[in-house]
């Protein structure tokens, strides 16, 4: 729990100060992250590792893997990757936003990053990141049909 002292003053030099004490957690724990990714006309090869990352004080990366392949993304398909509550990822214990606990208020950005297994490009038609079951994405791909590959860039920021 955090506590803050708020002092209210006036431009009038004869006025008194008023102090207020406020307390609260100021935190929004993240229990679930859903990455809704739609692959365009080019899927990554099955050896390319794909990560969802978050910037900020509680930022970290999650491996987007649901099968034995390095990634589950296939041409012209949409897929929801779930971390935390209702997880469908491999190694869900190390891909859990509750361990260590992430705070939604301390996340400043998100990105998708690849570690190419081969030189095959991946076209991301769309990407949306939903936090704690919200129906509105917290982050999304601003330009559709972004291509990630070794020569063109291995990371795309989500706004």
């Amino acid at each position: 729990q955090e506590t803050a002292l708020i002092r209210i003053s006036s431009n009038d030099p004869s006025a008194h100060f008023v102090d207020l004490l406020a307390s609260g957690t100021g935190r929004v724990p993240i229990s679930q992250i859903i990455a809704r990714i739609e692959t365009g006309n080019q899927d990554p090869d099955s050896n390319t590792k794909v990560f969802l990352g978050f910037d900020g004080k509680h930022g970290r990366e999650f491996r987007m893997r649901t099968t034995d392949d390095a990634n589950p993304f296939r041409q012209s398909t949409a897929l929801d990757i779930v971390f935390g509550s209702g997880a469908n990822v491999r190694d869900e214990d190390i891909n859990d936003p509750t361990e260590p606990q992430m705070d939604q208020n301390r996340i400043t950005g998100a990105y998708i990053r690849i570690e190419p297994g081969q030189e095959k490009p991946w076209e991301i038609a769309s990407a949306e990141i939903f936090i704690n079951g919200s129906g509105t994405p917290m982050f999304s791909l601003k330009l559709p049909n972004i291509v990630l590959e070794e020569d063109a860039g291995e990371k795309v920021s989500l706004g």
Side-chain angles (χ1 to χ4, degrees):
Q1 184 160 340
E2 298 173 3
T3 304
L5 179 66
I6 301 169
R7 176 163 278 179
I8 301 172
S9 62
S10 169
N11 290 333
D12 180 355
S14 64
H16 295 282
F17 293 104
V18 175
D19 289 333
L20 299 172
L21 189 60
S23 64
T25 61
R27 296 186 176 140
V28 178
I30 295 177
S31 60
Q32 182 188 62
I33 299 168
I34 298 175
R36 182 165 295 145
I37 312 293
E38 182 181 352
T39 297
N41 293 327
Q42 301 170 329
D43 59 344
D45 69 82
S46 61
N47 294 319
T48 295
K49 296 176 182 175
V50 181
F51 299 87
L52 172 64
F54 292 92
D55 300 314
K57 185 169 183 179
H58 288 179
R60 59 187 275 209
E61 280 192 341
F62 298 94
R63 175 88 182 270
M64 291 200 277
R65 181 179 185 199
T66 60
T67 65
D68 288 336
D69 288 342
N71 71 76
F73 303 104
R74 300 297 172 256
Q75 182 177 342
S76 302
T77 60
L79 183 62
D80 285 356
I81 307 287
V82 183
F83 304 93
S85 178
N88 66 354
V89 294
R90 296 275 309 257
D91 303 316
E92 63 183 77
D93 55 328
I94 60 172
N95 285 300
D96 185 352
T98 67
E99 290 296 328
Q101 182 66 64
M102 291 179 68
D103 180 353
Q104 183 174 336
N105 289 337
R106 296 183 183 224
I107 300 300
T108 59
Y111 59 89
I112 296 172
R113 182 178 70 81
I114 62 170
E115 287 181 6
Q118 297 175 357
E119 293 187 19
K120 185 177 177 186
W122 176 31
E123 180 184 341
I124 305 173
S126 68
E128 296 178 312
I129 309 303
F130 300 88
I131 305 294
N132 291 340
S134 172
T136 303
M138 184 169 180
F139 302 102
S140 61
L141 188 64
K142 294 304 175 194
L143 297 172
N145 303 314
I146 294 290
V147 175
L148 292 182
E149 64 181 322
E150 195 168 31
D151 293 337
E154 298 173 353
K155 182 177 173 180
V156 62
S157 293
L158 307 174

